[in-house]
Amino acid sequence: DAMVIQNPRYQVTQFGKPVTLSCSQTLNHNVMYWYQQKSSQAPKLLFHYYDKDFNNEADTPDNFQSRRPNTSFCFLDIRSPGLGDAAMYLCATSRVAGVGQPQHFGDGTRLSIL
Amino acid sequence: KNQVEQSPQSLIILEGKNCTLQCNYTVSPFSNLRWYKQDTGRGPVSLTIMTFSENTKSNGRYTATLDADTKQSSLHITASQLSDSASYICVVSAGGNNRLAFGKGNQVVVIP
């Protein structure tokens, strides 16, 4: 059974049109992460939530925002997508943000920009 | 800057054969090392996780080794199957905050 669920699996949007990607988890984990993965590259951490505490990576563009209304759900908002934002977006969770805690990944949302 | 380098970038192997993937890292301080399997169009799935004191860990036909002194790890796939075709990503955890350093992955293609 899927434990980290991302919707939609594929998303197409227009250049500059806001888009929201969603992630839900059934693990009741405290930490949720958003990664951007471009073709043949390693996933790049954008930000993460530890409970309600938001932690932004220093090099994450302002164009990317996130919301976590409750433990189970986390959203990635891209305010004005550019062509360079086309990528796979992965959501992950971990029970706590500590040493040895495995991250459980969703299957990702592949975002295309027209 | 923490770095994780994987080699070979890609390889093709015949079904039933073995292969070994390499991961070198410069992450410090080291906490643990994970190997993930990522099928095309799917999220990464954890295969193994090893801490500083562990030298080897197996998960079915997958065996990971770790040499913390030389900062090297390998993932050995035994008797490969077509379903082993995937990207294998080495991920090293640094410090105590679960910050992860990802390699770019080894792309494995198993052919009949």
Side-chain angles (χ1 to χ4, degrees):
Chain A
D1 292 336
M3 296 177 286
V4 181
I5 304 163
Q6 292 188 242
N7 284 304
R9 292 293 313 279
Y10 301 91
Q11 176 74 55
V12 181
T13 190
Q14 292 178 331
F15 182 94
K17 185 174 182 180
V19 66
T20 295
L21 311 182
S22 73
C23 176
S24 64
Q25 53 130 339
T26 59
L27 297 163
N28 203 33
H29 281 177
N30 297 95
V31 193
M32 295 187 77
Y33 308 80
W34 278 105
Y35 289 87
Q36 179 192 65
Q37 186 179 26
K38 296 189 175 181
S39 181
S40 301
Q41 294 187 21
K44 178 181 179 298
L45 182 64
L46 296 173
F47 26 59
H48 74 277
Y49 273 95
Y50 192 141
D51 292 328
K52 294 183 179 180
D53 293 332
F54 178 70
N55 298 271
N56 198 32
E57 293 300 297
D59 56 354
T60 298
D62 294 338
N63 200 24
F64 292 84
Q65 304 287 324
S66 185
R67 296 170 284 134
R68 190 179 186 186
N70 54 53
T71 300
S72 300
F73 286 87
C74 195
F75 300 97
L76 169 62
D77 300 309
I78 309 177
R79 293 190 297 184
S80 181
L83 297 179
D85 297 328
M88 172 79 88
Y89 290 88
L90 295 166
C91 174
T93 73
S94 63
R95 189 171 61 85
V96 293
V99 173
Q101 292 299 319
Q103 292 191 10
H104 300 266
F105 285 85
D107 281 336
T109 294
R110 182 165 295 282
L111 178 66
S112 299
I113 313 295
L114 300 180
Chain B
K1 180 179 179 180
N2 292 333
Q3 285 193 331
V4 179
E5 300 290 337
Q6 294 187 240
S7 61
Q9 183 176 356
S10 61
L11 76 161
I12 300 172
I13 58 173
L14 290 173
E15 185 179 13
K17 298 295 185 181
N18 305 334
C19 71
T20 300
L21 313 176
Q22 299 291 341
C23 173
N24 297 336
Y25 62 91
T26 59
V27 172
S28 181
F30 172 85
S31 293
N32 58 69
L33 185 146
R34 303 175 176 90
W35 282 94
Y36 282 88
K37 178 187 180 189
Q38 186 174 22
D39 292 316
T40 301
R42 307 296 297 273
V45 175
S46 181
L47 293 175
T48 62
I49 179 171
M50 288 184 293
T51 60
F52 184 88
S53 59
E54 295 176 292
N55 300 119
T56 185
K57 183 164 284 189
S58 292
N59 178 356
R61 293 179 297 101
Y62 302 103
T63 300
T65 65
L66 174 65
D67 186 335
D69 292 331
T70 61
K71 299 187 176 182
Q72 295 179 326
S73 177
S74 66
L75 181 69
H76 186 76
I77 305 176
T78 302
S80 61
Q81 300 177 358
L82 298 180
S83 60
D84 293 330
S85 297
S87 178
Y88 293 84
I89 305 174
C90 176
V91 183
V92 183
S93 179
N97 60 1
N98 206 28
R99 180 166 292 275
L100 303 181
F102 287 78
K104 292 185 178 181
N106 306 100
Q107 187 66 44
V108 174
V109 175
V110 181
I111 58 175

